[in-house]
Every structure is written in C-alpha cells, then in structure tokens.
Amino acid sequence: PLSNNAMIFIKNYSDNFANFKTLTDERSVSKEIAMFLEATTYIEGSIIIAGKKDTLKTTLLSALAKKVTPKDRYFLFDYKQELKFEESYYTTFDFSSFKDSAQKQALISSLFTSNPSRVFVNSAKDDLVYFVSEALSGYNNLIVTLEASNKQEALDRIIDSILENKPYLHYQDAKKLACSIFKLIIFV
C-alpha cells in the first residue's frame, strides 16, 4: 500500500500528453513515480483516480488511456466530453441524451458482455453505481475518475455504490469488497 504521505504533483499538460517521461523531464515526479504510474496500465484490477475539482484527474486518465496496446478493444465513457480518441480500438459513449436510468443501466450492462480489455470512465457521478455493478459481476479492468475531497471520501463513494447494488451488506463487508475490486486508488 502507498504511504499516507505519498504526494504526486502533475502540471497541467495539453491533450497530447502521452509520455510519462514528460513528468520526469519537467521534474513533476521522480523517475520511480513516473514508472509506477506507467505500470498502472498493466495492473489486473480496477483503479480509481480521485481528487478535488481541477486536480488533473482527466489528464492522468488520458495518459493512462494512451498507453494501451492497439490489439485490444477499449471503451471510454466520458461524461465531461473532454477526451477524444480517434484510434479505432476505442469506442466512445455519450450518455448525455439518456435521461432514463434503467435504460442507461441496461445499455452499460449489455456493453460489458463483450468483455472489453479496459474501460475508462471519466466523471460518472451518479452513474458510478452502474460501473461498480459490473465490477461486482466480475469485470475487473475499470479505470474511473472520481471527484472527492480526500481518499476516504473516494472510498466511501465506492462503498455507497456497492451498498446500493447490495443493500444487505454491512459497511465493513462493502469496504472489504471495494478494496478487493479496486486494487489502487490514486489521489491527486
């Protein structure tokens, strides 16, 4: 586990930021941290990138998304519509026109049946519960950005989503489940 005092400072890079070497060249992070961030693209398990508003969660998500291998299939759910990937191995979804939550949940569930290599979710907010539902069903390759004031609030939002899916669980059981699904929480 990461130390409680782990700190990463990432400058606001443009959309073309795709190289973790940039982080070390600009002295934003040490080489070890840059290597760690790059290695997260190979983690088997889901990841949360959490932080306060305007802490560059989307920038980090974009950098991780650009490190994938083109031979696989990836989904991008970008609720802020900030990320644009032209590569054919990305399928991007826009749910801004969906008002019916049952319709949205059914669509997300059906999309996951194709078992994409990785799913990137930017700022799902209320729809987070649907992606956590897929994780509870066994899908373990989510990378999700989440607005939170601190790492405990980020974990609590995941736990709340688990409890919404499985209301019979006790808080501690939901917390254990959250930690087993999300292998890493990066707080920026």
Side-chain angles (χ1 to χ4, degrees), residues 37 39-50 61 64 118-119 121 140-145 181-186:
L37 290 173
T40 62
T41 60
Y42 304 104
I43 287 176
E44 283 294 324
S46 295
I47 299 169
I48 297 173
I49 302 169
L61 179 73
L64 293 173
R118 181 76 80 177
V119 174
V121 183
N140 69 349
N141 282 313
L142 290 168
I143 298 183
V144 178
T145 64
I181 293 170
F182 292 93
K183 304 298 184 199
L184 180 64
I185 298 177
I186 301 171

Side-chain angles (χ1 to χ4, degrees), residues 15-184:
D15 290 340
N16 64 4
F17 170 68
N19 186 338
F20 287 96
K21 186 176 179 317
T22 307
L23 293 174
T24 56
D25 290 349
E26 296 291 326
R27 295 191 174 151
S28 292
V29 298
S30 67
K31 287 181 182 179
E32 292 80 9
I33 293 292
M35 288 172 41
F36 169 77
L37 290 173
E38 191 164 357
T40 62
T41 60
Y42 304 104
I43 287 176
E44 283 294 324
S46 295
I47 299 169
I48 297 173
I49 302 169
K52 295 179 182 178
K53 186 177 174 149
D54 298 326
T55 54
L56 307 173
K57 298 175 294 292
T58 303
T59 301
L60 184 53
L61 179 73
S62 176
L64 293 173
K66 290 177 181 178
K67 293 301 293 181
V68 299
T69 56
K71 65 182 172 99
D72 294 322
R73 189 97 193 118
Y74 305 94
F75 289 165
L76 171 64
F77 295 87
D78 186 8
Y79 286 80
K80 287 184 160 184
Q81 299 180 355
E82 294 176 330
L83 300 172
K84 303 288 184 246
F85 295 118
E86 302 299 324
E87 295 86 350
S88 62
Y89 45 88
Y90 272 99
T91 304
T92 304
F93 299 94
D94 176 9
F95 284 151
S96 59
S97 63
F98 285 86
K99 303 300 180 215
D100 182 271
S101 61
Q103 184 184 28
K104 225 186 296 191
Q105 183 176 12
L107 178 59
I108 290 170
S109 184
S110 69
L111 290 169
F112 274 82
T113 60
S114 69
N115 199 24
S117 298
R118 181 76 80 177
V119 174
F120 299 90
V121 183
N122 190 30
S123 299
K125 295 187 181 181
D126 294 336
D127 290 350
L128 178 65
V129 67
Y130 307 139
F131 296 101
V132 169
S133 173
E134 294 306 318
L136 290 168
S137 298
Y139 186 81
N140 69 349
N141 282 313
L142 290 168
I143 298 183
V144 178
T145 64
L146 178 60
E147 192 170 313
S149 298
N150 56 54
K151 55 188 169 185
Q152 185 59 50
E153 183 183 337
L155 183 58
D156 285 343
R157 297 239 351 250
I158 297 299
I159 292 168
D160 289 346
S161 292
I162 289 172
L163 290 172
E164 193 170 330
N165 280 286
K166 297 181 177 268
Y168 52 86
L169 287 178
H170 294 287
Y171 177 86
Q172 288 301 330
D173 294 329
K175 184 176 181 179
K176 288 177 188 173
L177 194 51
C179 292
S180 72
I181 293 170
F182 292 93
K183 304 298 184 199
L184 180 64

